[in-house]
Each structure stands twice: as C-alpha cells, then as structure tokens.
Amino acid sequence: MTPEFLIIHQQAQPHVAHIALNRPKELNALNLQLMTELRDALRALDEDEQVRVIVLSGNEKAFAAGADIRQMAGRTAMDMYNVDQFSTWDAIKKIKKPLIAAVSGFALGGGCELAMLCDMIVASETAKFGQPEIKIGVMPGAGGTQRLTRAVGKALAMEMVLTGKFITADEAWKAGLINRVVPVELYLEEAFRLAAEIAQLSPLAVKMAKESVLRAFDSTLDEGLHFERKNFYLLFASEDQKEGMQAFLEKRAPVFTGK
Ligand code: DAK
C-alpha cells in the first residue's frame, strides 16, 4: 500500500534510499499511522539488497515537531498501554542498515527522539532540537531522557528535559548531539554525500560495525569488547574482507558485493 505520510525513493542515489516524512501542515507530527508506515518502509528497505544506507528527512520547516498531541490528548494510560506505540519504535531500533537523519527546522519531542534513533544526524543551520514534553504535562517517552543524556551529558540534557528549551544546530553540534551543520540549502545534499560515502563500503562490515557501536550503550566494556571481537572474526568469513584486503595489496579500489 502506498503510504499516506511518507515519500519514499528506494534508490535516491545508488544504494541509498530516502524517506521523507510528509505531513507538512502538522509539521510532520508523528501520528500512529505515520509511525506504522515508517516502520514498514524501513523494514522493507532493510531487506532490500539494493539498499545500503537510508536517509530520513522531514522538510525544510520541520523534521518532526513531536508525537501528534491531538491524537494523544484524550488518551488514558490504558489506551497508551493497549496501543503499544513502543513496538514501532522498538522495530526501528532493530534496523540493521545505517540511518542518517537529515534535520532542518523543528526536531522536537518524538521528532528529536526519532533523529536520535538514527545513527547520524546532519542538520541545517535552521534546525532546532528540544524535548518540550514537560511543557504539556508529560516527559519524554521514546528515549529522550536516555539517548539525549548519553549524547550531550547530564547538565544539558537535564536542562532541556526539565525546561523544554530548544537548542540550535550549532549548540547541538558543540554538545555532540549531531554530526554536522550546513547551510539549509545543503542539508539534504550533505546527508546524501555522507550516505554515498558509506554506501561504497562493505555493507556487511557496515552493518556489523553499526551493531557493535550500538552495543556500547547496552553493555559493560568487557561485554562490548567481546561482542566487537565476534563481529570482527565473523567478517573474515565474508568475500568483502578478501576483496577489501586484496584490493589494498593490489593498490586498486575494492568492489564490495555484500557477500
Ligand atoms: N502535534 C500535533 N500538531 C502539531 C504538533 C504536534 N506535536 N506540532 C505542531 N502541530 C500543528 C499545530 O497544531 C498547527 O496546526 P493548525 O493549528 O494549523 O491546525 C501546525 O502544526 C503548525 O504549528 P504552529 O502553528 O504551532 O507553528 P509555529 O511555527 O507557530 O510553532 C512549534 C511551531 C513547533 C514551536 C509549535 O507547533 C509547537 O510547540 N509544537 C508542539 C511541540 C511539542 O510539544 N512537541 C512534543 C510533543 S509530545 C511515545 C513516543 C513518542 C512520544 C510519546 C510517546 N511512545 C512510543 C509511547 C513523544 C511525545 C511528544 O513528542
């Protein structure tokens, strides 16, 4: 089924897919349908052998201004429990291919959390990041208190979560939340440039490297090192390892096939 709230380009560039959130009138507020469509699209692209990297964007004015407050306002705790919105977020967390968020304008609440669920963030100078849930009587519910704190540290995370204040792209970059800031007319181009750089590498090595970096957040150092080592060994079972090392020795560019 064609998604209502997403624009999907399976090959926006060779081996790079692009999903644009598309609810512009509501500043891409993340309603349940949009999140379900996003989960399904990401899963399909994750299984698509032609795709190696996925760029996720909104539009120039908003990446996403948060979960849909209109949809949540009347909910009871039991409604929230029964709807189990977390399952879509958990499924996105399991995507194996690199996800690059291209953020312009508002990335607030669930929008900031969605950007942080991606592996890297490229932002335009106009981007604003925030967890303003406290201003509407709740608190972050999709990782904001955890991923933001790990990215920017306690002082700034606490201030953002307790006051709801927004930070600029420049502040986000200085705090280590995002990878780079570029002029607004270049933010998508820069995200695609970064995606293309990764897409020419071994897709197997890239996936296992992503998995290993993420493991650092869920494990002790020893467990993480053990996990890293297993993935490192495993890559020696791939044709890409043979090709990559042989190409180096032959002083030529490698051709990776993902096998
Ligand atoms: N939800 C619904 N509609 C929204 C919205 C949102 N989050 N953000 C903006 N809109 C709508 C506005 O209502 C308005 O619609 P109309 O009135 O034109 O019908 C339209 O988008 C344009 O917005 P504004 O007129 O307000 O535009 P401004 O430029 O004046 O202001 C703004 C932009 C982003 C500063 C402002 O719209 C704003 O403060 N928006 C709300 C930001 C916010 O509080 N975000 C956090 C929401 S709570 C969970 C997962 C995630 C979450 C929770 C649970 N589970 C897995 C369980 C996340 C929760 C949240 O994100």
Side-chain angles (χ1 to χ4, degrees), residues 23-30 35 61-62 64-72 80 84-89 106 108-113 130-136 138-143 166:
R23 266 191 99 198
K25 276 199 237 137
E26 294 82 6
L27 303 181
N28 291 331
L30 307 167
M35 287 306 297
K61 181 145 192 232
D68 191 325
I69 299 172
R70 198 159 279 128
Q71 195 172 53
M72 276 187 303
M80 296 297 278
D84 190 20
Q85 264 174 279
F86 289 109
S87 64
T88 51
W89 292 76
F106 299 111
L108 305 176
C112 187
E113 292 171 314
Q131 298 289 161
E133 291 91 338
I134 204 81
K135 292 187 172 171
I136 53 171
V138 286
M139 58 175 275
F166 302 165

Side-chain angles (χ1 to χ4, degrees), residues 1 43 49 55 63 71 116 144 158 168 212 218 224 238 246:
M1 257 188 10
R43 274 185 177 159
E49 283 190 6
V55 172
F63 177 72
Q71 195 172 53
M116 291 191 292
M158 199 61 101
T168 63
S212 302
D218 293 332
S238 71
Q246 199 56 40

Side-chain angles (χ1 to χ4, degrees), residues 7-259:
I7 299 170
I8 304 170
H9 293 291
Q10 185 256 7
Q11 290 284 320
Q13 287 184 0
H15 301 305
V16 178
H18 179 203
I19 301 178
L21 308 179
N22 189 35
R23 266 191 99 198
K25 276 199 237 137
E26 294 82 6
L27 303 181
N28 291 331
L30 307 167
N31 65 12
L32 293 177
Q33 184 183 332
L34 185 154
M35 287 306 297
T36 306
E37 289 177 0
L38 182 60
R39 177 201 60 197
D40 293 347
L42 286 170
R43 274 185 177 159
L45 294 171
D46 211 26
E47 282 171 15
D48 185 333
E49 283 190 6
Q50 291 309 309
V51 174
R52 294 183 179 179
V53 183
I54 303 164
V55 172
L56 177 64
S57 74
N59 54 49
E60 222 170 277
K61 181 145 192 232
F63 177 72
D68 191 325
I69 299 172
R70 198 159 279 128
Q71 195 172 53
M72 276 187 303
R75 288 246 158 87
T76 64
M78 288 308 110
D79 293 336
M80 296 297 278
Y81 178 79
N82 285 326
V83 169
D84 190 20
Q85 264 174 279
F86 289 109
S87 64
T88 51
W89 292 76
D90 290 345
I92 295 172
K93 187 179 163 215
K94 290 192 186 128
I95 297 299
K96 291 200 161 103
K97 292 174 185 169
L99 293 175
I100 299 178
V103 175
S104 181
F106 299 111
L108 305 176
C112 187
E113 292 171 314
L114 182 59
M116 291 191 292
L117 198 49
C118 294
D119 303 304
M120 280 179 276
I121 302 176
V122 173
S124 90
E125 285 165 346
T126 63
K128 285 190 168 35
F129 297 86
Q131 298 289 161
E133 291 91 338
I134 204 81
K135 292 187 172 171
I136 53 171
V138 286
M139 58 175 275
T145 64
Q146 303 303 302
R147 289 198 180 91
L148 185 66
T149 308
R150 281 168 163 79
V152 306
K154 178 184 164 191
L156 182 57
M158 199 61 101
E159 189 174 337
M160 288 172 71
V161 169
L162 296 190
T163 69
K165 85 164 196 168
F166 302 165
I167 59 170
T168 63
D170 205 38
E171 288 169 318
W173 181 73
K174 286 187 181 125
L177 180 62
I178 65 178
N179 294 76
R180 63 200 65 177
V181 185
V182 294
V184 63
E185 60 279 10
L186 293 180
Y187 81 100
L188 267 180
E189 196 179 313
E190 180 58 19
F192 280 116
R193 201 204 54 71
L194 184 58
E197 193 181 327
I198 298 166
Q200 65 182 348
L201 304 172
S202 161
L204 282 170
V206 164
K207 278 198 252 183
M208 286 191 200
K210 162 175 169 163
E211 189 181 36
S212 302
V213 172
L214 288 176
R215 187 51 75 105
F217 295 100
D218 293 332
S219 61
T220 63
L221 180 60
D222 268 353
E223 284 160 0
L225 289 171
H226 187 67
F227 188 83
E228 176 190 78
R229 207 156 295 169
K230 294 275 181 199
N231 273 355
F232 179 73
Y233 289 150
L234 195 53
L235 285 169
F236 281 75
S238 71
E239 291 175 19
D240 281 351
Q241 175 266 329
K242 302 286 173 288
E243 167 63 10
M245 294 192 179
Q246 199 56 40
F248 175 82
L249 296 174
E250 290 169 11
K251 300 189 188 300
R252 62 172 172 84
V255 180
F256 293 118
T257 56
K259 294 196 177 116

